[in-house]
Amino acid sequence: MTETSKTFLAKSTIKAADLDHRRKINFNIGKYNAAVPNGKAQFSNVHLARERAKNAKWRAIETLDEQLENFEKVFSANGGKVIWAETGEDAIAAILAICKEKNCKTLVKSKSMVTEEIHLNKAMEANDIESIETDLGEYIQQLDDEPPYHIVTPAMHKSKEDVARLFNQKLGTDPNLTPTELTLVARKILREKYVQAEVGITGANFIISDIGGVALTENEGNGRLTCAFPKTHIVVVGIEKMIPSLTDLGLFWPLLSTFGTGQKITSYNSVITGPRKAAETDGPEEMYVILLDNGRTNILDNPIQRESLYCIRCGACLNACPVYKNIGGHAYGVTYSGPIGSIITPHLQGMQEFKHLSYASSLCGNCTEVCAVKINLHELLIDNRKESVEDGYTSLAEKAAWKIWRMACQSRMMMNMGNGKFKNKVVNGIAKDWTRNRADLNFSKKTFNQMWKDRMK
Ligand code: SF4
């Protein structure tokens, strides 16, 4: 067992028994579940919309090389600069070089999972650059020195009382502030940062090939301020976020908001195609897009797992997952949690270290049922397990156990042998991990085959 899987098991065991955690998660996911039908009501045929989105992503991913090159050509023609980053380190090095050139002391950033993936804040801190999260949930998490708990709602595990306590400890505010008052405190602090910051960093919900554009969708307006106030805007985006055409947004924006938060459309939707032009009054003087690989081409190279690159990060599969709802987002110990995280992480960060995530699933298929772009998530989880076995990452004990199981299942004599007490003793002894949190396995005195024979006599 690897260290990462031991840590995962230890953290999950604690969280699964934490009833206060479960209460908060159920409350917040309950609100989400109540909102989603409102969003879905806008589609005359939501299944067809999901199929069409899946087809559009299929097209984008199957022709990703051409789409990316076209994006670069058009975006560059509009005055933007494209940087290709093979690894997270390459992306950080590029950002630091830009910050150095701009003499950047403070940068503002909007919510972006890819910047979590490359550990941007820590890298900036190590280089004496203040990096401020401007999304309220991310700001709360940054104050608490915690990574996001959920890919859409970063502070989902915190109650309003938890946030009031945190603000009191870190900012000295009244511990009984209401959510509105807490938001105003954050707003006042953050507004000053936009003006100070030399650089603004955002992610991208989509990159659009035909117009060389970056699509951003958000509810707080902080993304827009991050793009528009600082003189330099850097976008960090995974290469899989590609969609072929601007016209695809008519489908993807309502789909993302419906499955992400239950809204018909998110409050602020921006398409940015380059830095400010001569006749324009707003926007940055310079704009960079960093196209990040960081293991995504490993997934692209895998004909089965390639489908996971269609993900639009709506978070619906996390909210639907019984495992996520029990162990929470932090127990996974990786940037992308929940079903989609369990599928892509072994390919992004190493099968040996992270294969255990693909086993952390009941395979109930609820994730597949709710996926905005109809990714066959539970099948990809099974395929990851298969791949990890083929790659030889199975312990000798497990291999031996399956061998014995196979021999036993193929032999009627062995199946009928010692049912009842003997089998209970042997199997419950072997399956200690299984019975630790469950009732003992209880074999009947006779097998079905023996009972059937008796009956037929
Ligand atoms: S896998 Fe599907 S449900 Fe999960 S985050 Fe991605 S698009 Fe949403």
Side-chain angles (χ1 to χ4, degrees), residues 1-15:
M1 203 183 263
T2 59
E3 282 309 311
T4 43
S5 63
K6 280 187 204 158
T7 312
F8 172 72
L9 277 180
K11 284 187 179 173
S12 319
T13 309
I14 294 168
K15 268 296 169 228

Side-chain angles (χ1 to χ4, degrees), residues 25 51 61 65 80-81 86 129 131 140 146 157 164 172 186 189 196 288-289 299 305 311 341 357 359 393 420 422 437:
I25 288 304
E51 288 286 352
I61 297 298
D65 49 351
K81 290 171 193 153
E86 202 175 324
I129 298 170
S131 176
I140 291 167
E146 270 191 342
H157 60 311
I189 294 169
Q196 283 169 13
Y288 298 84
V289 171
I299 304 180
Q305 296 294 336
C311 173
L357 297 178
Y359 290 84
Y393 299 131
F422 176 71
N437 297 309

Side-chain angles (χ1 to χ4, degrees), residues 138-364:
E138 290 284 358
Y139 179 66
I140 291 167
Q141 289 305 92
Q142 190 176 31
L143 272 186
D144 212 4
D145 200 18
E146 270 191 342
Y149 177 90
H150 185 283
I151 60 176
V152 175
T153 29
M156 185 193 243
H157 60 311
K158 288 187 166 77
S159 65
K160 57 185 191 309
E161 290 79 18
D162 292 338
V163 178
R165 242 188 328 269
L166 177 71
F167 273 44
N168 167 260
Q169 284 162 10
K170 303 284 174 166
L171 305 171
T173 51
D174 182 334
N176 300 312
L177 291 187
T178 63
T180 309
E181 290 166 334
L182 291 165
T183 309
L184 288 174
V185 170
R187 178 186 161 114
K188 187 165 182 300
I189 294 169
L190 294 174
R191 288 267 150 147
E192 284 163 20
K193 296 293 177 186
Y194 292 117
V195 189
Q196 283 169 13
E198 294 87 5
V199 172
I201 297 188
T202 68
N205 296 98
F206 304 101
I207 39 178
I208 311 163
S209 178
D210 63 350
I211 60 156
V214 171
L216 273 178
T217 184
E218 37 136 3
N219 274 318
E220 298 172 21
N222 63 305
R224 271 189 187 178
L225 293 173
T226 302
C227 307
F229 261 107
K231 288 189 173 164
T232 305
H233 176 202
I234 305 173
V235 179
V236 190
V237 59
I239 51 174
E240 83 285 8
K241 289 292 185 82
M242 182 61 73
I243 54 172
S245 168
L246 181 67
T247 55
D248 293 320
L249 275 184
L251 176 61
F252 280 103
W253 263 344
L255 210 52
L256 178 55
S257 57
T258 292
F259 285 81
T261 56
Q263 291 165 281
K264 286 191 173 136
I265 192 86
T266 318
S267 306
Y268 299 93
N269 297 286
S270 314
V271 177
I272 310 155
T273 52
R276 182 195 331 167
K277 298 226 168 78
E280 292 171 346
T281 50
D282 295 316
E285 289 168 8
E286 276 185 273
M287 184 174 170
Y288 298 84
V289 171
I290 300 180
L291 296 170
L292 181 72
D293 178 347
N294 212 22
R296 285 158 175 80
T297 43
N298 297 338
I299 304 180
L300 191 66
D301 194 33
N302 184 321
I304 294 173
Q305 296 294 336
R306 185 179 284 189
E307 192 179 335
S308 63
L309 295 177
Y310 305 169
C311 173
I312 58 170
R313 305 278 188 265
C314 71
C317 57
L318 282 65
N319 300 333
C321 176
V323 175
Y324 183 91
K325 283 194 269 193
N326 266 288
I327 66 172
H330 287 152
Y332 290 80
V334 293
T335 306
Y336 303 102
S337 55
I340 186 64
S342 299
I343 291 165
I344 60 174
T345 306
H347 299 279
L348 296 180
Q349 292 183 241
M351 185 58 84
Q352 189 170 11
E353 284 289 287
F354 294 98
K355 75 179 172 68
H356 60 275
L357 297 178
S358 312
Y359 290 84
S361 165
S362 63
L363 298 179
C364 63

Side-chain angles (χ1 to χ4, degrees), residues 438-453:
R438 300 174 181 88
D440 277 358
L441 295 163
N442 198 3
F443 289 90
S444 60
K445 282 201 183 102
K446 290 183 176 178
T447 63
F448 176 76
N449 173 268
Q450 288 164 331
M451 287 191 265
W452 184 258
K453 274 187 179 161

